[in-house]
Amino acid sequence: MESRGSVPARPPSYEGVWRFTAPAVDASVPQARHAVRDLLNRQGVPVRDDIVQGLLLIVSELVTNAVRHAALLSPQVAVEVAIGAEWIRVAVEDNHPYRPKALETDSGQTGGRGLLLVREVTREAGGTCDVEHTATGGKIIWAALPL
């Protein structure tokens, strides 16, 4: 009996990485949320509505934090959306060096409630989130959720 080699599966057409920048102003918050929602729809990402809602809440909170806390040192923020076959990752980058502790500590602290919300929404969806330093001295706050 002759065995046939398997044909490698093509990656889903919705996979990819998209990045855009926006000024660090209040109007960028709803614009970023709409841009991410439009991207998911345009790419045909097979994502449950509850994951989309959590993702959009995360984008809103992360861009809001960048606008409120980093605008002085970072007049632009970058939003990146990376979509894989089984996950979606959103990240917001600014040039401010301060690394918020809310993703790492308990909820007993005051302030940082938006980041606590990001952490909880991410965990409830079965995802992960973190803060990383950039080579230029800023930071990237990201969350990855399963599709």
Side-chain angles (χ1 to χ4, degrees):
M1 187 169 179
E2 182 181 330
S3 73
R4 297 181 186 203
S6 63
V7 176
R10 282 184 1 145
S13 61
Y14 57 81
E15 287 188 47
V17 177
W18 295 265
R19 185 177 173 93
F20 61 91
T21 59
V25 297
D26 289 337
S28 294
V29 176
Q31 290 172 353
R33 189 175 53 246
H34 293 306
V36 171
R37 183 178 41 226
D38 291 347
L39 172 67
L40 296 176
N41 289 334
R42 190 172 58 248
Q43 293 304 118
V45 180
V47 60
R48 295 188 335 248
D49 189 55
D50 62 321
I51 297 293
V52 171
Q53 295 308 313
L55 197 64
L56 297 178
L57 177 63
I58 290 167
V59 168
S60 293
E61 291 296 334
L62 295 183
V63 175
T64 296
N65 279 353
V67 167
R68 287 192 181 151
H69 303 293
L72 186 62
L73 295 177
S74 185
Q76 294 279 319
V77 297
V79 177
E80 184 176 279
V81 180
I83 305 170
E86 299 177 3
W87 51 268
I88 182 166
R89 179 183 186 262
V90 292
V92 175
E93 179 179 347
D94 64 58
N95 291 323
H96 197 288
Y98 173 71
R99 180 184 168 122
K101 304 285 188 228
L103 293 177
E104 313 165 346
T105 59
D106 69 337
S107 57
Q109 72 180 40
T110 59
R113 298 210 191 288
L115 290 179
L116 290 172
L117 183 59
V118 167
R119 183 178 70 182
E120 291 309 309
V121 167
T122 301
R123 284 186 181 166
E124 284 180 15
T128 58
C129 57
D130 203 358
V131 181
E132 300 172 357
H133 289 287
T134 64
T136 58
K139 68 182 163 303
I140 299 170
I141 303 177
W142 60 268
L145 304 180
L147 289 177

